[in-house]
């Protein structure tokens, strides 16, 4: 809980600095986020690579490990079907298409934008950005109350990159291996799902 | 996708090699990971806050986006909970 609040505070501080243009110029560069991400991923890799026990989980779970990304995708669509009844301004297929981003905000919004659905592209960007942020902020709580698999499902496509460090930190390196698997499989699926669903719009 | 997999693989390769080396490096690596989580969230905040388009649309489209994001998270947490009860119950 304390860590979630600290993470949230740091994020809000960034938002305020960004909004009032108080941040130094070199920080306002999306490329920098990318580089920090790579540094982070490298060290996460080192941390997991040195832990022999972590890799035993793939051997132990065998084909069952595919149930994690399958459950994540299915659960997301069930959530989209339910929430569709609450959002009157959007069509069912629009809600499902946006949800199909699975937290992956860059590619789906670019795909939708290029297909001519500009507003839906912004909606996809925000939705998936929110999903990533919600996962980052709530992982400590989710891991504690809903089981260690829950932050991985919540993170969707992001669990092999942005949300991986926080998941490893609060669920352990064994779950880090499941998280990478989940994220890689879903990240590969997302552009196909979004494109297919957008063709029905 | 490629650079992401490249940097994780590079790290894992080095980590496997480090298994047989100094323990102190490993403790230091975990601290670096936590630190980068904070840095990344801070930078994300700055970039979102500084993007006028996103800030302007936060009110209208933002609410819908938040609903869909929460629904996706809730739905997948539910399936993860069922999965961990039925299949992964040997742990926790």
């Amino acid at each position: 809980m304390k860590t979630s609040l600290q993470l949230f505070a740091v994020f809000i501080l960034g938002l305020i600095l960004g909004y009032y243009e108080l941040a130094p110029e070199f920080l306002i560069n999306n490329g920098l986020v990318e580089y920090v991400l790579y540094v982070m991923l490298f060290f996460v890799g080192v941390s997991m690579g040195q832990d022999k026990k972590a890799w035993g989980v793939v051997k132990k779970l065998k084909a069952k490990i595919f149930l994690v990304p399958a459950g994540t995708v299915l659960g997301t669509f069930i959530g989209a079907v339910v929430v569709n009844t609450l959002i009157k301004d959007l069509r069912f297929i629009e809600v499902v298409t946006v949800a199909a981003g699975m937290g992956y905000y860059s590619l789906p919004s670019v795909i939708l934008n290029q297909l001519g659905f500009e507003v839906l592209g912004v909606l996809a960007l925000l939705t998936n950005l929110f999903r990533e942020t919600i996962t980052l902020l709530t992982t400590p709580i989710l891991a504690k109350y809903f089981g260690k698999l829950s932050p991985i499902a919540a993170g969707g496509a992001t669990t092999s990159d942005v949300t991986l460090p926080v998941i490893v930190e609060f669920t352990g390196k064994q779950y880090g291996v499941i998280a990478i698997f989940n994220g890689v499989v879903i990240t590969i699926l997302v552009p196909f799902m979004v494109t297919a669903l957008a063709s029905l719009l | 996708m490629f650079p992401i997999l490249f940097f994780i693989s590079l790290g894992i390769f080095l980590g496997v090699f480090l298994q047989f080396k100094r323990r102190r490096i490993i403790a230091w690596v975990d601290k670096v990971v936590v630190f980068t989580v904070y840095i990344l969230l801070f930078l994300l905040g700055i970039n979102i806050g500084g993007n006028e388009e996103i800030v302007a649309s936060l009110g209208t489209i933002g609410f819908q986006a938040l609903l869909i994001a929460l629904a996706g998270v809730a739905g997948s947490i539910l399936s993860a909970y069922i999965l961990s009860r039925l299949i992964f119950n040997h742990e926790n």
Side-chain angles (χ1 to χ4, degrees):
Chain A
M1 186 65 195
K2 192 186 159 207
T3 314
S4 268
L5 286 176
Q6 282 174 349
L7 289 170
F8 191 66
V10 167
F11 177 69
I12 294 295
L13 180 69
L15 265 182
I16 293 166
L17 289 181
Y19 184 72
Y20 291 106
E21 291 169 3
L22 294 170
E25 194 65 36
F26 71 96
L27 290 177
I28 311 162
N29 173 8
N30 277 303
L32 189 63
V33 175
E34 203 181 325
Y35 294 131
V36 175
L37 181 63
Y38 295 153
V39 171
M40 176 197 277
L41 290 173
F42 171 74
F43 282 105
V44 167
V46 174
S47 174
M48 293 200 320
Q50 56 84 25
D51 191 328
K52 261 190 206 162
K53 238 172 57 186
W55 297 94
V57 76
V58 177
K59 274 189 197 161
K60 203 163 75 182
L61 292 173
K62 296 193 187 82
K64 274 200 265 181
I65 199 166
F66 279 98
L67 289 172
V68 180
T72 303
V73 171
L74 190 68
T76 302
F77 285 137
I78 290 171
V81 169
V82 173
V83 83
N84 175 60
T85 59
L86 297 174
I87 303 172
K88 296 199 171 77
D89 297 343
L90 293 172
R91 286 188 294 146
F92 172 68
I93 191 68
E94 290 176 320
V95 174
V96 175
T97 304
V98 166
M102 305 286 155
Y104 191 172
Y105 57 84
S106 52
L107 200 54
S109 47
V110 173
I111 291 173
L112 289 172
N113 192 61
Q114 286 194 326
L115 291 171
F117 307 106
E118 278 106 358
V119 179
L120 216 56
V122 179
L123 183 64
L125 176 78
L126 287 177
T127 300
N128 294 301
L129 203 61
F130 282 151
R131 180 160 181 176
E132 181 183 282
T133 310
I134 290 166
T135 306
L136 278 173
L137 298 177
T138 60
T139 285
I141 299 165
L142 294 182
K144 198 175 168 190
Y145 296 104
F146 297 98
K148 290 180 175 178
L149 218 50
S150 65
I152 297 174
T158 70
T159 62
S160 55
D161 43 79
V162 180
T163 59
L164 180 60
V166 76
I167 288 171
V168 171
E169 187 64 27
F170 292 98
T171 64
K173 285 158 193 161
Q174 281 198 323
Y175 282 86
V177 176
I178 299 176
I180 290 183
F181 186 82
N182 181 68
V184 168
V185 170
I186 294 175
T187 302
I188 293 166
L189 285 175
V190 163
F192 294 102
M193 292 193 295
V194 171
T195 313
L197 289 165
S199 71
L200 302 172
L201 284 167
Chain B
M1 192 67 197
F2 175 75
I4 285 168
L5 290 179
F6 173 76
F7 281 103
I8 296 184
S9 312
L10 190 70
I12 289 172
F13 181 78
L14 203 81
V16 171
F17 173 74
L18 275 176
Q19 269 179 13
F20 313 103
K21 299 284 173 183
R22 277 180 250 168
R23 297 252 156 226
R24 210 185 297 167
I25 298 176
I26 290 155
W28 179 79
V29 164
D30 287 337
K31 276 184 191 157
V32 173
V33 171
V34 176
F35 183 67
T36 48
V37 171
Y38 282 98
I39 298 283
L40 196 80
L41 261 182
F42 181 63
L43 289 177
L44 264 178
I46 289 176
N47 281 298
I48 294 169
N51 189 323
E52 279 172 33
E53 243 177 288
I54 296 182
V55 172
S57 62
L58 273 178
T60 49
I61 304 175
F63 183 64
Q64 295 174 338
L66 188 64
L67 278 182
I68 301 173
L70 283 172
V73 167
S76 50
I77 288 172
L78 182 71
S79 62
Y81 187 74
I82 294 167
L83 264 185
S84 57
R85 274 297 170 97
L86 293 178
I87 293 130
F88 296 82
N89 56 356
H90 53 278
E91 288 166 274
N92 304 301

